[in-house]
Amino acid sequence: MSLKQRLTDDMKAAMKSGDKQSLGVIRLINAAIKQKEVDERIELDDTAVIAVLDKMVKQRRDSVSQYEAAAREDLAVIERDEIAVIERYVPAKLGEAEILAAIEAAIAETGATGPADMGKLMGPLKAKLAGQADMGQVSALVKKRLAG
C-alpha cells in the first residue's frame, strides 16, 4: 500500500473514531502533498511524500524550539503532538552504525579519498538514505570520515 493510500485510509479511520487531533494533522499532510503535486505538476511517489513529511517535522521542531524560547509551552505541546502524528508515516531512522556502513559502501563505489570528494559522495548517499537519516548528521559523518 502506498503512503498516500495509507494516509487516506487513516484519515477515514480518524473521522469514524472521532480522533480530531490525528484527523487535523493528516489533513495538513494531505494538503502539503497536494500542494507539492500541483506546484510541480507531478504525482508524488513514496520517496517524495517522505521528503514532504521530513520537511513538516523539521518545521515543527523549529517551532517547538522557538516556542520554548518564548516560554510558550502550551504551543510547544501542540507542535510536539503534531510531530508524533507525522512521524507515524516516516520510516524508522537509521542508527549511526548503519549510516557509517552506508558511507563506507559509497566510498568503495565512488573511490572518494579526501574532503574534495565530499560532493561526489553525498549524491549517492542522499539518494540511498533519503527519509532514513538526517542528512545533516550524514554530512557531518562524511566530513569526519574523509578528513581522517
Side-chain angles (χ1 to χ4, degrees), residues 69-88:
R72 291 296 309 263
E73 191 58 36
D74 55 328
L75 297 174
V77 167
I78 293 168
E79 295 292 324
R80 282 192 210 98
D81 291 343
E82 287 184 6
I83 289 171
V85 173
I86 295 168
E87 285 184 336
R88 290 185 212 159

Side-chain angles (χ1 to χ4, degrees), residues 2 7 20 23 25 40 45 47-48 62 64-65 78 80-82 97 99 112 119-120 122 132 143-144:
S2 76
L7 282 161
K20 291 185 186 306
L23 178 62
V25 176
E40 297 182 12
D45 60 357
T47 305
D62 290 344
V64 167
S65 64
I78 293 168
R80 282 192 210 98
D81 291 343
E82 287 184 6
I99 295 171
K120 183 165 62 167
M122 285 303 292
Q132 298 177 335
K143 279 181 190 172
K144 183 177 169 186

Side-chain angles (χ1 to χ4, degrees), residues 17-131:
S17 69
D19 184 359
K20 291 185 186 306
Q21 199 247 341
S22 292
L23 178 62
V25 176
I26 293 170
R27 283 182 171 158
L28 284 173
I29 293 168
N30 283 333
I33 291 168
K34 191 58 138 175
Q35 182 66 47
K36 183 126 175 122
E37 287 180 338
V38 168
D39 288 348
E40 297 182 12
R41 295 185 178 130
I42 58 169
E43 182 78 18
L44 296 182
D45 60 357
D46 280 355
T47 305
V49 171
I50 290 169
V52 170
L53 294 174
D54 283 340
K55 182 178 178 184
M56 291 178 77
V57 168
K58 185 178 185 303
Q59 289 170 336
R60 278 152 183 79
R61 285 196 176 124
D62 290 344
S63 296
V64 167
S65 64
Q66 290 175 1
Y67 288 145
E68 287 173 344
R72 291 296 309 263
E73 191 58 36
D74 55 328
L75 297 174
V77 167
I78 293 168
E79 295 292 324
R80 282 192 210 98
D81 291 343
E82 287 184 6
I83 289 171
V85 173
I86 295 168
E87 285 184 336
R88 290 185 212 159
Y89 304 100
V90 179
K93 299 292 183 193
L94 296 176
E96 190 170 328
E98 291 98 344
I99 295 171
L100 288 171
I103 290 171
E104 291 302 324
I107 288 173
E109 281 177 27
T110 61
T113 56
D117 295 328
M118 184 160 173
K120 183 165 62 167
L121 199 56
M122 285 303 292
L125 284 172
K126 190 169 187 174
K128 185 175 181 181
L129 300 177

